Amino acid sequence: FLHRDIKPQNILVSSTGVVTLLDWGLARDISGADRVEVIEAHCGPGVIVGTPGYLSPERALPMDEVEDERSDCWSLGAVLYGLLTGVPAVDVTAAQRSIFANRRHRAAPSLIAPARLPAPALSAIALRALADDPEQRFPTVARLRQAISDVLVDLNYGYRPT
């Protein structure tokens, strides 16, 4: 499944560290059955659904691209970027202007560039996940998770992968 609306408000972390992804209302089954028809029936064809600032470029500016896990990787990269820097990855006001004013022009909203990114290895993961070109991102959420796990183990934060 593609979640299609990953954002901090949809991520719950328990007191024991268990992470749960909430609100699967925009999810899409990529194994065969598809909910696109259901979403289009409620919203209309070609309507952008999701949360500005956490929409991958291909979701924000839909063209003829096939949506896959790399779109959710972009959204997770935006969440990680915000955790590392304290600022959102994308200026939402500028993103909304770009999305609605330039629907036919393929240009991702610019990333906010803080003066210095903390935790270089984690920052590199976030920036790779936020690549405009899906081919440059992690191919799956599992690969993104593994990259983060590897860094946390290397940094010896007491993290133990499950």
Side-chain angles (χ1 to χ4, degrees):
F1 281 91
L2 296 178
H3 186 278
R4 300 175 64 188
D5 197 23
I6 296 173
K7 58 185 176 183
Q9 296 86 341
N10 286 342
I11 300 172
L12 177 69
V13 182
S14 76
S15 60
T16 60
V18 175
V19 178
T20 303
L21 195 53
L22 308 173
D23 190 1
W24 288 80
L26 298 179
R28 183 174 183 185
D29 183 350
I30 56 173
S31 67
D34 200 349
R35 296 192 55 215
V36 171
E37 297 81 16
V38 174
I39 291 169
E40 287 189 353
H42 290 290
C43 302
V47 172
I48 298 170
V49 292
T51 304
Y54 296 95
L55 292 172
S56 65
E58 61 273 15
R59 295 233 27 253
L61 301 165
M63 302 298 273
D64 293 329
E65 298 178 35
V66 175
E67 187 177 354
D68 60 22
E69 272 189 83
R70 295 172 297 184
S71 182
D72 278 353
C73 286
W74 194 98
S75 300
L76 287 165
V79 171
L80 178 58
Y81 186 97
L83 287 170
L84 292 171
T85 64
V87 298
V90 175
D91 176 344
V92 175
T93 305
Q96 287 174 327
R97 280 196 305 268
S98 173
I99 289 168
F100 297 111
N102 301 309
R103 287 277 311 262
R104 298 200 185 280
H105 175 56
R106 177 81 163 98
S110 297
L111 292 177
I112 296 171
R116 184 172 151 257
L117 287 171
L122 288 174
S123 297
I125 291 169
L127 294 175
R128 178 177 172 194
L130 287 167
D132 182 40
D133 179 0
E135 294 293 327
Q136 301 301 313
R137 296 181 205 146
F138 291 91
T140 65
V141 171
R143 293 281 298 274
L144 172 58
R145 179 182 183 271
Q146 186 61 53
I148 293 169
S149 293
D150 291 348
V151 169
L152 293 177
V153 167
D154 288 346
L155 293 175
N156 196 21
Y157 282 135
Y159 173 78
R160 303 220 191 313
T162 56

